[in-house]
Amino acid sequence: MTAISGTDRTAPPVTSADLPRLQRRVSSVLIASQMLGGVGVPISIALAPVLATEVSGTEALSGFASTAAVIGTAAVSLPLAALMTARGRRPGLVLGYGIGALGAGLVVLAATIKNFPLLMLGMAAFGAASSANLQARFAAADLAAPDRRARAVSLVVWASTLGAVLGPNLSAPAGRSFAGTSIPQTAGPFVWAGAVFVLTGTVLALFLRPDPLLTARELAPPAEQAKGGRSLRAGFAAVRASPRARLALVTVAVSHTAMVSIMVMTPVDLGHHGATLELVGLVISGHIAGMFAFSPVMGWLADRVGRLAVIGLAAGLLSVAALLAGTAGPSHAQSAVGLFLLGLGWSAGMVSGSALLTDSVPQSARAAVQGLSDLTMNTCAGVGGAAAGLVMSHAGYGWLNAIGAALLLPMAALALFTARRHPAAPAPAAPAPAAAPSS
């Protein structure tokens, strides 16, 4: 009987017969961690621009706090991927949340002493928690059967719904909890966020055992276990060698960039057309519901009808969303429908692209490739979000949506080309159950 321990020396051996039970356990732990970590990011990020204004003394620098968080998310993607490649998912995820907790502490200190550079450093470190949140979706796919991989990814994405909806509504109470102390109320949510990140990292450290990536690696065919294939350089090489991996990388990056670029300017456009803050909140809530609540549907579709079909669906939904939002004008209902479809298209692209990326590279290179994907996605979205304000101010919201839709054309063309020239290989069979040990 072949038995492994996933490098957890104190854990009982794991065999391929244990995979269904282990996959359920891994999914449960990751879903719990996403619910916790997903609260920590939005509970504080909503007040980041206000905090930046207070610390710097000018609204001109208000956007730098969110930008620093995005830069931090992108910057730690490859280092976390390198650690996961060498040591497994658990150390990488725990470190990501640990850096995020440290960043939250620096933000609180910066707010207390009114130090803007320290605030930027803290926000960059805070972004590491977002990187851990994102990379958790790939951990869910490590032990999933190929024909259920997209559903495994989608469940972890879905688990973010709680934090995405609940987090912003907790910002004000979290701030008021520090009234009368030396900590500014706008920094109060970061105290809570840091505590949430510590709790999330603790849950992962204690319960994500045996490590899913190391277990999957040891159960992989011998040809995919070579240590030479686990470096970041091997990850880049794996993407270059696989047309379907390149499509997956483009899909995730373009879907995320189009969504972020349009979404960040929508409240401004709604305000130009007389929308109240309550209405803006409802529109954004509908957008968030589209992003997360329906991800299991996208995972089921990606497994049943294929990754490329759902990538095509993502391109269609995002295009229609841009058309509706860009031509809505004073029609707030049309804006709301457009933003909901924008979230739904993002979900389709994120789930199908993540599953396709995992399918398309050797097991040994997956962690490195997945880190490269998150680096690319967040870098592109950061540039897109920054450029969106310039386009909005010089050309208007309609042109911003038109540019967002134009970004989808290369993605759709690449999907069609890949479907014709590089059809999917038959999915590998799941490992056969090992024989029971002899007495």
Side-chain angles (χ1 to χ4, degrees):
M1 177 184 67
T2 300
I4 61 173
S5 64
T7 73
D8 291 315
R9 300 181 185 277
T10 60
V14 174
T15 71
S16 52
D18 298 319
L19 283 181
R21 172 189 58 80
L22 184 56
Q23 173 62 13
R24 289 192 296 270
R25 174 185 171 88
V26 167
S27 295
S28 298
V29 174
L30 290 172
I31 287 171
S33 72
Q34 285 295 95
M35 288 180 174
L36 287 171
V39 169
V41 174
I43 193 177
S44 48
I45 207 70
L47 287 179
V50 179
L51 183 58
T53 300
E54 288 184 1
V55 173
S56 67
T58 173
E59 288 188 356
L61 300 179
S62 62
F64 278 64
S66 298
T67 301
V70 171
I71 292 172
T73 301
V76 301
S77 296
L78 283 183
L80 289 184
L83 178 60
M84 291 181 195
T85 297
R87 302 286 300 277
R89 297 289 185 193
R90 187 174 62 253
L93 294 176
V94 170
L95 179 61
Y97 284 114
I99 296 173
L102 174 63
L106 292 177
V107 168
V108 174
L109 176 60
T112 304
I113 66 175
K114 303 296 184 184
N115 187 307
F116 188 73
L118 183 61
L119 176 66
M120 294 299 97
L121 177 62
M123 287 302 304
F126 186 85
S130 294
S131 185
N133 258 16
L134 287 169
Q135 296 209 25
R137 74 190 190 278
F138 292 120
D142 286 333
L143 296 175
D147 62 347
R148 298 188 64 86
R149 195 168 279 153
R151 274 170 281 189
V153 170
S154 69
L155 284 176
V156 173
V157 174
W158 168 83
S160 302
T161 306
L162 175 67
V165 174
L166 186 60
N169 294 303
L170 294 176
S171 295
R176 286 195 298 268
S177 68
F178 289 90
T181 71
S182 60
I183 296 175
Q185 291 193 38
T186 47
F190 286 90
V191 178
W192 287 100
V196 167
F197 293 157
V198 170
L199 178 59
T200 305
T202 301
V203 167
L204 290 166
L206 292 177
F207 299 109
L208 195 62
R209 295 174 181 273
D211 191 281
L213 177 61
L214 300 184
T215 302
R217 182 178 292 164
E218 294 183 42
L219 285 174
E224 295 191 9
Q225 294 186 16
K227 291 185 177 180
R230 299 177 189 174
S231 65
L232 292 177
R233 179 178 297 179
F236 282 97
V239 172
R240 288 196 301 269
S242 172
R244 294 173 72 85
R246 293 197 295 272
L247 170 62
L249 204 65
V250 169
T251 296
V252 171
V254 170
S255 298
H256 194 58
T257 302
M259 184 277 292
V260 169
S261 300
I262 295 172
M263 181 270 294
V264 295
M265 289 295 111
T266 297
V268 178
D269 182 69
L270 288 170
H272 290 167
H273 292 97
T276 63
L277 290 177
E278 289 77 9
L279 181 57
V280 171
L282 286 174
V283 171
I284 297 301
S285 294
H287 169 68
I288 291 171
M291 288 177 65
F292 298 113
F294 294 89
S295 57
V297 176
M298 298 304 173
W300 180 83
L301 284 173
D303 284 335
R304 291 297 298 271
V305 303
R307 319 302 196 219
L308 269 62
V310 179
I311 288 174
L313 175 63
L317 287 170
L318 291 168
S319 298
V320 173
L323 174 64
L324 291 175
T327 60
S331 175
H332 297 150
Q334 183 174 326
S335 292
V337 173
L339 264 290
F340 173 76
L341 292 179
L342 186 72
L344 207 60
W346 175 90
S347 180
M350 181 65 64
V351 170
S352 59
S354 298
L356 180 62
L357 188 68
T358 303
D359 294 340
S360 304
V361 296
Q363 204 288 328
S364 58
R366 281 177 187 165
V369 170
Q370 291 157 353
L372 173 64
S373 170
D374 282 354
L375 170 65
T376 304
M377 175 183 76
N378 286 294
T379 301
C380 290
V383 173
L390 296 175
V391 174
M392 181 80 171
S393 62
H394 288 86
Y397 185 66
W399 276 105
L400 174 63
N401 279 269
I403 293 172
L407 291 176
L408 302 167
L409 293 176
M411 182 181 94
L414 184 58
L416 289 173
F417 175 81
T418 303
R420 290 174 61 89
R421 297 291 298 273
H422 304 283
S438 57
S439 56

